[in-house]
Amino acid sequence: MPRLGSLGTRWLGVGLASALAVLTVGLAVTGRLSLYINPESAWFAVGMSVIVLVGAVASFALPLGAEDDHGHDHGDATAHEHGHAHVRHPVALAGTVVAGVLASAVVVGALALPPSSLSPQFASTSTSTTPVLFGGRDVVTLASTGDTATFGVGEWATVFATATDPASFDGDAVTLTGFVAPGDAGTGFLLSRFVITHCVIDAQLAAVPIVWGGTAAPEGEWATVTGTVRSDSDGRLHIAAESVEAVPEPEDPYEY
């Protein structure tokens, strides 16, 4: 039993960390790490993973069970002198086993399941109606200069939500790619995309309204919209689409 406990301790420490490190390096090598983190942070994630793997290899120099010593050999000796060894409380032991099983299941699942992006179906579960801003005033200021060639759905969503002079953007040509979400009935749809800062945990949904009288791509499918920014009489902005073309999901589905 002590040997089994030592194996469990090493698995929950070095084993799980090594599995996640291998997964991270593998995703980086295959170019799929950007499905989970901002590419600008990839070097840090890979670097930390390499350090973990080096530490894991070095840990084999320790005898099995060394993790449980904690430098308190005198305490164990005293316990044995009194005729009893330290026994973990059953509740604590059960909690450790349950937590270990759950953690192992998560890691094994991450290794076994194919990498995938946040789905449009996940976006449909969002109940927030508060506009999410990406770049704030800097984006709007840049847009007012006409330098919008590199703008994606996130930047235009910021402009649409915060522009104090919507008419100044009337006539701007745009070409955007995103997935289709329901919009105002009978007038068009929303073109959406997830924007992440560091990783998918902080992903936020950006969307811009598309006015289109033709046949749009089905809800949840990806599309490239070419059109013109227009200002409504009430000061709201939308994109008047000239073409809507169904496309495959991009290799990198997020904006940053």
Side-chain angles (χ1 to χ4, degrees):
M1 284 299 292
R3 181 178 178 82
L4 184 61
S6 298
L7 286 172
T9 298
R10 185 159 292 192
W11 164 249
L12 292 178
V14 175
L16 292 180
S18 299
L20 289 174
V22 169
L23 175 63
T24 300
V25 173
L27 289 172
V29 170
T30 57
R32 295 176 292 179
L33 190 57
S34 61
L35 293 176
Y36 300 99
I37 66 173
N38 190 321
E40 293 182 358
S41 303
W43 66 270
F44 179 79
V46 173
M48 291 299 98
S49 296
V50 171
I51 291 174
V52 167
L53 291 174
V54 171
V57 172
S59 72
F60 284 99
L62 294 172
L64 192 62
E67 300 93 337
D68 301 322
D69 291 341
H70 305 300
H72 298 300
D73 293 337
H74 59 280
D76 292 338
T78 302
H80 285 296
E81 288 173 3
H82 286 81
H84 59 82
H86 174 70
V87 178
R88 183 175 295 180
H89 192 282
V91 175
L93 179 59
T96 301
V97 172
V98 171
V101 170
L102 291 176
S104 300
V106 170
V107 172
V108 172
L111 289 169
L113 296 175
S116 62
S117 62
L118 291 177
S119 68
Q121 288 70 32
F122 175 79
S124 66
T125 64
S126 175
T127 58
S128 174
T129 57
T130 303
V132 182
L133 308 182
F134 310 95
R137 185 178 299 276
D138 291 340
V139 167
V140 179
T141 300
L142 183 61
S144 65
T145 68
D147 188 11
T148 60
T150 61
F151 274 24
V153 174
E155 287 90 355
W156 277 117
T158 298
V159 173
F160 281 25
T162 62
T164 56
D165 184 17
S168 64
F169 301 103
D170 195 293
D172 284 7
V174 297
T175 299
L176 298 172
T177 298
F179 55 85
V180 175
D184 293 335
T187 61
F189 57 93
L190 294 176
L191 191 69
S192 306
R193 199 141 181 182
F194 283 105
V195 180
I196 68 175
T197 302
H198 301 291
C199 65
V200 292
I201 294 175
D202 60 42
Q204 300 178 81
L205 184 65
V208 291
I210 308 295
V211 173
W212 171 245
T215 302
E219 180 181 340
E221 296 298 318
W222 285 79
T224 294
V225 173
T226 300
T228 306
V229 175
R230 293 300 181 192
S231 176
D232 297 334
S233 58
D234 60 1
R236 291 188 300 175
L237 293 168
H238 67 269
I239 295 174
E242 298 164 8
S243 68
V244 176
E245 179 184 358
V247 296
E249 179 179 309
E251 192 170 316
D252 189 352
Y254 308 130
E255 292 181 359
Y256 306 96

